[in-house]
Structures are given as structure tokens and as C-alpha cells.
């Protein structure tokens, strides 16, 4: 077989024993197909790979045409953070027992689909990123799933004044605030009783966490809007589940759609509703007919 015209990058979750066990076989398959690839240094060193194949994780998007993310949804989120605005598409390969919301295939399906990956026989889907900007800071904090503002002192009532496009919305008294993308609608937002959105919708979710007034309901707004939040007490700004910054009292955070997207690969033909039925245990769908009524 001729040398692959694309260069693959490999990132993975080394905390998962399954990834460490399947990595040598994945590498053998790539070399058998004469694929040009680079591997995250820490993972490659564990299996004794030659140094010319190894790069620090944040350098891999500079040379790879496509990145394989071996792990679960958390690993794919990490991969998206590493790629940032460099536009390299991600193929999520789940090394656990079942598919996540973001990963495209099981590791057991990788071998059967390798030829299609190398041939570019797949669809690229773009997922919205958020960017959160703090007052007096020029650097933005990005997230694929969600930006969360939570108080540092959990027992304290948290007052959050919210503006949409500079116009006052309301002041929430809640345990925090989630701003989620459609991708993030099946993450923490779902656990906090937020709505599920199709990944292709151009919308944002504004969701108070345990509001102290029952009239404070979740909102779905256009992703063309900007959201400003004034947090009265000391808070944490959390991006995709990781604390990104500590916020002093009366901090203002602006959250809006980022100028770039995360590109994910759809190769197996599974759609969003297949995943929902499986993950939420909705059972098998039946074709609709008059007999079902």
C-alpha cells in the first residue's frame, strides 16, 4: 500500500488502562499501512516508540492533518482545548465499554474503519466554542461544552446579575450559572435539568444552578448574543469541568460564541438521536403508523 497522504496525530487518556493496552496494536496497524503519524510524547515513551514519532501534545496540531483522540468524552474535550483555533479535525475513539456523546466509534471498530479514515471518507461537523473574557483581562478562556460560574463558598447565596447584549435581563439568586453550547447540553447542563439541543443549533443555554426562586427558568438564546454576568461574591470560572480562573468579588465575565469552531468527524453514520436513545435508555424507536396510536 502506498504511503498515506495525511499525517495523523494521536492523543489519549493514559489514566485509562485500556488505552495503554490497545496503543501498541494501533501503532502496528498504522505502520502496516505506512501511515505517517505522531504520538503524544508521554504515551509514546511508555511503549518505547522512536523519538522522531513523539511530540508534546500542544505541538501535534501544528503538524497533523487529523487527530485521533483515544479515551472518552473528557479526552475529546482535552483534545479540543489543545487544538484551540488551529482547525484540525478530531476523531473520537472510545476505549471504554460504550460510546459517549462526543466520541464517534469504539476502539474495537478502529481497524475496520482505518481505510476510510485514510481515504477521507467521512463528514466533518463543526461544533461551536464559547469564549469567556474577564474584565481587565485580554486573554479569553474557551470551552466546547460550557462555561460555569460557581461561588467559592458553597453555602453562601450567590447573586448573579445578567445582561444580554448589554440590556439587563435579571438578577439570579442561585448556586451558580451554566452557559452551555448545544454540545454541552448533554453534559452538566443536562444534570442540572437543562434542555437537550441538537448539536447543529445556533443557540446557547443560560441555566441557573438550583435557583432560589422558582420563577427563574432556563433560557435558550441565539448564539449571536453576548452574555455578561456580574458575580457579587468570590467565584470560580470553570471551563469544560476544569477551574480556569478565580474571580474576586463583583467580577464581570462576558461569554459569547468564539470566532472558531471545533471540527469533529462523523464516519460511522451514527446520529445524535441514536446516541440519545442509547445513553438515556429511551429504548428502541418504532416506525410510526396508525397502529401505534
Amino acid at each position: 500500500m502506498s504511503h498515506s497522504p495525511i499525517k495523523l496525530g494521536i492523543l489519549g487518556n493514559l489514566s485509562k488502562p485500556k488505552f495503554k493496552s490497545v496503543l501498541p496494536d494501533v501503532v502496528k496497524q498504522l505502520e502496516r499501512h505506512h501511515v505517517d503519524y505522531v504520538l503524544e510524547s508521554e504515551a509514546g515513551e511508555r511503549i518505547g516508540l522512536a523519538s522522531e514519532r513523539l511530540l508534546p501534545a500542544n505541538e501535534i496540531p501544528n503538524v497533523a492533518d487529523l487527530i485521533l483522540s483515544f479515551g472518552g468524552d473528557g479526552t475529546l474535550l482535552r483534545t479540543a482545548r489543545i487544538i484551540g483555533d488551529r482547525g484540525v479535525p478530531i476523531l473520537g475513539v472510545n476505549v471504554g465499554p460504550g460510546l459517549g456523546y462526543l466520541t464517534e466509534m469504539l476502539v474495537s471498530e478502529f481497524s475496520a474503519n482505518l481505510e476510510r479514515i485514510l481515504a477521507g471518507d467521512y463528514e466533518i461537523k463543526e461544533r461551536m466554542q464559547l469564549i469567556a473574557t474577564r474584565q481587565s483581562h485580554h486573554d479569553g478562556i474557551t470551552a466546547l461544552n460550557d462555561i460555569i460560574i460557581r461561588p467559592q463558598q458553597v453555602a453562601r447565596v450567590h447573586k448573579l446579575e445578567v445582561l444580554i447584549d448589554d440590556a439587563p435581563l435579571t438578577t439570579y439568586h442561585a448556586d451558580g450559572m451554566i452557559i452551555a453550547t448545544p454540545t454541552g447540553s448533554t453534559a452538566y447542563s443536562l444534570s442540572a435539568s437543562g434542555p437537550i439541543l441538537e448539536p447543529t443549533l445556533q443557540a446557547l443555554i443560560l441555566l441557573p444552578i438550583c435557583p432560589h426562586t422558582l420563577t427563574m427558568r432556563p433560557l435558550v438564546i441565539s448564539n449571536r448574543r453576548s452574555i455578561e454576568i456580574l458575580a457579587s461574591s468570590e467565584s470560580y470560572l470553570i471551563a469544560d469541568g476544569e477551574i480556569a480562573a478565580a474571580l474576586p468579588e463583583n467580577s464581570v465575565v462576558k461569554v459569547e460564541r468564539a470566532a472558531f469552531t471545533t471540527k469533529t468527524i462523523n464516519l460511522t453514520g451514527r446520529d445524535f438521536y441514536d446516541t440519545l436513545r442509547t445513553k438515556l435508555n429511551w429504548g428502541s424507536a418504532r416506525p410510526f403508523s396508525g397502529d401505534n396510536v
Side-chain angles (χ1 to χ4, degrees):
M1 181 177 293
S2 61
H3 188 83
S4 170
I6 68 170
K7 188 167 193 168
L8 298 181
I10 303 173
L11 297 174
N13 185 349
L14 284 168
S15 69
K16 292 184 178 291
K18 181 73 172 177
F19 173 58
K20 289 182 281 189
S21 67
V22 302
L23 184 56
D25 184 60
V26 168
V27 167
K28 286 178 183 176
Q29 290 183 59
L30 296 180
E31 292 180 346
R32 195 159 53 239
H33 285 76
H34 306 289
V35 178
D36 192 9
Y37 70 93
V38 287
L39 177 62
E40 186 175 357
S41 299
E42 188 178 354
E45 288 166 359
R46 291 201 182 189
I47 62 171
L49 205 62
S51 60
E52 64 267 18
R53 290 288 191 188
L54 308 183
L55 279 178
N58 62 358
E59 293 181 20
I60 288 179
N62 294 333
V63 298
D65 302 299
L66 183 156
I67 291 180
L68 304 173
S69 175
F70 285 87
D73 286 353
T75 306
L76 195 142
L77 290 173
R78 171 182 176 257
T79 302
R81 284 195 299 273
I82 290 169
I83 292 172
D85 62 358
R86 286 175 281 187
V88 184
I90 307 168
L91 176 61
V93 184
N94 199 318
V95 300
L99 282 173
Y101 285 105
L102 299 177
T103 49
E104 172 64 10
M105 67 172 66
L106 296 169
V107 69
S108 59
E109 300 172 310
F110 176 72
S111 179
N113 285 286
L114 181 55
E115 291 281 2
R116 292 183 59 196
I117 295 169
L118 299 178
D121 183 16
Y122 49 74
E123 179 184 4
I124 292 179
K125 295 192 173 183
E126 299 197 28
R127 293 177 179 263
M128 184 198 323
Q129 282 263 7
L130 295 176
I131 185 163
T133 309
R134 293 165 290 166
Q135 206 172 33
S136 74
H137 288 75
H138 298 294
D139 59 320
I141 296 166
T142 60
L144 177 58
N145 266 353
D146 46 42
I147 295 289
I148 298 165
I149 296 174
R150 296 208 69 154
Q152 293 183 28
Q153 297 180 6
V154 177
R156 185 174 177 180
V157 174
H158 204 35
K159 188 169 74 173
L160 298 154
E161 185 179 342
V162 177
L163 291 81
I164 307 291
D165 285 350
D166 298 321
L169 173 65
T170 189
T171 298
Y172 291 91
H173 293 81
D175 291 351
M177 183 68 67
I178 303 169
I179 300 98
T181 64
T183 297
S185 72
T186 51
Y188 186 25
S189 174
L190 181 61
S191 299
S193 300
I196 297 172
L197 304 186
E198 282 193 353
T200 55
L201 284 178
Q202 302 301 305
L204 301 174
I205 298 169
L206 182 65
L207 175 65
I209 303 169
C210 298
H212 298 186
T213 305
L214 293 179
T215 56
M216 298 298 184
R217 312 309 299 166
L219 285 178
V220 177
I221 65 175
S222 167
N223 70 354
R224 294 188 297 273
R225 307 287 189 187
S226 66
I227 301 166
E228 280 187 287
I229 299 174
L230 189 154
S232 62
S233 55
E234 293 181 335
S235 308
Y236 289 119
L237 194 161
I238 302 167
D240 284 345
E242 295 191 0
I243 294 175
L247 304 173
E249 290 184 358
N250 298 317
S251 291
V252 176
V253 177
K254 184 175 184 178
V255 182
E256 55 195 337
R257 177 184 61 184
F260 64 92
T261 60
T262 291
K263 297 178 180 179
T264 59
I265 286 174
N266 184 301
L267 180 121
T268 62
R270 292 187 182 95
D271 67 13
F272 177 64
Y273 296 102
D274 290 333
T275 304
L276 279 186
R277 282 193 297 272
T278 301
K279 297 294 288 184
L280 300 181
N281 197 27
W282 283 351
S284 58
R286 293 185 299 165
F288 179 79
S289 70
D291 295 335
N292 295 336
V293 179

